[in-house]
Amino acid sequence: QVQLVESGGGLVQAGGSLRLSCAASGSDFRINAMGWYRQAPGKQRELVAAITSIGSTNYADSVKGRFTISRDNAENTVYLQMNSLKPEDTAVYYCASDPSWGAVVNGEADYWGQGTQVTVSS
């Protein structure tokens, strides 16, 4: 069982940066794949970035070169560093966790956080 709590969202101007955190509780964190998803109003939820238990990563094309996912297994936390933010990055960002990499990248993870709002003004 894993419980996830996101933080770090907020309002930022275009070109600015934010760092999201996802704190996980439970004994499975270190072996689980982790992911960040986002959902904008009227749009489907989409994968932003994902990371395996050993640090391999995957990014959506729209965020490559701007966002970085990382994890600290000692702190049971996964991060999303977001730079050069654009208004189209505005969304609720969710953390996801699952033992299966496929489940995380396909949006079928067992565990999800409640989400944190990111708003980028132009």
Side-chain angles (χ1 to χ4, degrees), residues 22-78:
C22 173
S25 62
S27 59
D28 296 333
F29 176 81
R30 294 173 183 177
I31 63 172
N32 279 13
M34 303 292 297
W36 284 98
Y37 277 77
R38 67 186 181 188
Q39 187 166 22
K43 294 188 177 181
Q44 288 189 334
R45 184 177 62 189
E46 63 174 353
L47 175 68
V48 176
I51 187 167
T52 67
S53 60
I54 58 172
S56 298
T57 58
N58 185 37
Y59 294 93
D61 288 343
S62 60
V63 306
K64 283 181 180 177
R66 301 189 298 123
F67 291 11
T68 303
I69 188 171
S70 61
R71 65 190 295 163
D72 184 337
N73 287 341
E75 297 293 329
N76 279 13
T77 302
V78 63

Side-chain angles (χ1 to χ4, degrees), residues 10-11 42 46 90 95-96 101:
L11 173 64
E46 63 174 353
T90 295
C95 180
W101 171 254

